[in-house]
Amino acid sequence: MNSAHRYSQDTRPLDALTGGNSSTRLKAALAIGTHPEPGFVDVLVARCAIEPDFFVRDMLTWALTRLPSEITVPKLRAELRSGRAQARSQALHTLSKIGDSSAWPAITRSLLHDADDEVARTAWRAAVVLVPDEEKEALAAELARQFGRGDREVRLSLSRTLVALGDVVEPVLQTAMIHHDPAVRAHASATERLLRDPDAAFDLAVDEARRVVALGPGREETTAC
C-alpha cells in the first residue's frame, strides 16, 4: 500500500479541524489541502461556516480550491442559501478563489444586497471575478443602488468593486452624482475620483466630494481660488 493510499484512509486531519487550538486546525486544513480527497469536501464546507479564526478559514478555502470544481461548486452554491452569515460569506469567498464561471448565476441580487455587510462585500468581490463581460453594465447598475451604504470600509469596498469593473461604470456614476441624496452623490463622486486615479486616497476623495456637494453645483471652482 503506497503512502497516498494510506493517507486517503487517514481521517485524523478531519478530526483535528474541530480541535480547540487554532494552530492545530490550521495545520489540519493545510494537510487536507496538500493531499486533497474528494470525500473531505462536506467537512471542509461545513467547517467554513463555523470556523472562528480568519487564517484557518483562509486555509480551508485553499484546501477547497485544491479539489475538482465540479465537486466543490455545487456544495458551495448550496451554502449561499444558508441562514448563517458566515456560511454565505465564506462560500462566496471560496467561489471567487475557484473562479469557475458556472457559479455566476448563484450571485443573486439578494446576496449583492445582503443585510449583513460582510456577506454583501464578499458578494461584490465574487461578482467582479465571475461576471461575464456582457453583464458588467447590469452589475454596475445593481451595485450603484447601494451608494451611501454602511461605514467607511463598506463604502470603500463598494467603490473598489465598481472601479474593478472598469469604464462600464461611468454612466451609473454620472447618474448617482446627481442623486437627490447627498451621501449617494458624495460616494459616487469619490468612486469616480478613484476610477480616474486608482492611487487616490479614498478618505480624501470622500472629503472633497462632500465639500463639492455642500457648496453646490458650479461653486467648487470659485471656492478653490
Side-chain angles (χ1 to χ4, degrees), residues 4-18:
H5 184 70
R6 284 199 305 273
Y7 185 84
S8 69
Q9 307 303 313
D10 187 0
T11 61
R12 286 175 297 178
L14 293 181
D15 297 335
L17 285 179
T18 62

Side-chain angles (χ1 to χ4, degrees), residues 102-115:
S102 70
W104 164 245
I107 311 301
T108 61
R109 183 178 180 275
S110 63
L111 287 169
L112 295 172
H113 293 265
D114 200 284

Side-chain angles (χ1 to χ4, degrees), residues 82-171:
S82 172
R84 185 186 292 270
Q86 183 174 304
R88 301 194 302 277
S89 178
Q90 198 64 25
L92 286 161
H93 175 64
T94 306
L95 286 170
S96 74
K97 294 299 183 182
I98 293 171
D100 188 327
S101 60
S102 70
W104 164 245
I107 311 301
T108 61
R109 183 178 180 275
S110 63
L111 287 169
L112 295 172
H113 293 265
D114 200 284
D116 185 280
D117 285 341
E118 189 56 35
V119 174
R121 291 171 66 193
T122 312
W124 302 340
R125 292 191 293 267
V128 167
V129 172
L130 299 172
V131 63
D133 287 342
E134 64 272 16
E135 296 196 43
K136 285 185 176 181
E137 290 184 17
L139 175 60
E142 194 64 55
L143 293 174
R145 297 177 63 187
Q146 300 188 77
F147 274 132
R149 171 179 176 167
D151 60 15
R152 175 191 181 279
E153 293 305 314
V154 173
R155 294 193 302 271
L156 179 55
S157 288
L158 183 59
S159 293
R160 284 174 170 166
T161 299
L162 285 163
V163 168
L165 288 173
D167 293 342
V168 299
V169 305
E170 290 184 357

